[in-house]
Amino acid sequence: MRNFKRVLLGFSTLLLMLAILAFVLENQQSVSLIFLGWAGPQLPVSVVTVLALLAGMLIGPVLSWLRGWSSRASRKRLV
């Protein structure tokens, strides 16, 4: 059973890596994003998407931690 889980994990990791590789290879056209008057450099679509994903992976947990921290502080004041 343990070996089956390892094989399944390895297979799913391989599939994920192949999907990411296909995404990067299919999205090589360059784009320039404009946000609030600021124009970014010409980057491939895949790079822009990965950067947005990484930003979300950083911002989400930080906001969740801040929300939990503020609720814990308010509960302390009530006690």
Side-chain angles (χ1 to χ4, degrees):
M1 186 67 171
R2 187 174 182 171
N3 287 334
F4 178 72
K5 286 183 181 180
R6 283 186 180 175
V7 169
L8 190 61
L9 179 64
F11 184 70
S12 60
T13 303
L14 180 65
L15 282 177
L16 180 64
M17 289 172 55
L18 287 174
I20 291 170
L21 179 66
F23 176 77
V24 168
L25 292 176
E26 289 291 323
N27 292 293
Q28 288 297 314
Q29 58 273 24
S30 293
V31 294
S32 178
L33 298 179
I34 299 174
F35 181 68
L36 298 175
W38 178 77
Q42 291 269 338
L43 295 172
V45 174
S46 58
V47 172
V48 173
T49 305
V50 168
L51 289 175
L53 174 70
L54 291 174
M57 289 173 66
L58 291 173
I59 292 171
V62 168
L63 291 177
S64 176
W65 178 78
L66 287 174
R67 184 175 154 197
W69 180 70
S70 67
S71 68
R72 273 184 254 129
S74 67
R75 272 188 267 142
K76 260 187 176 178
R77 283 189 299 234
L78 293 175
V79 173

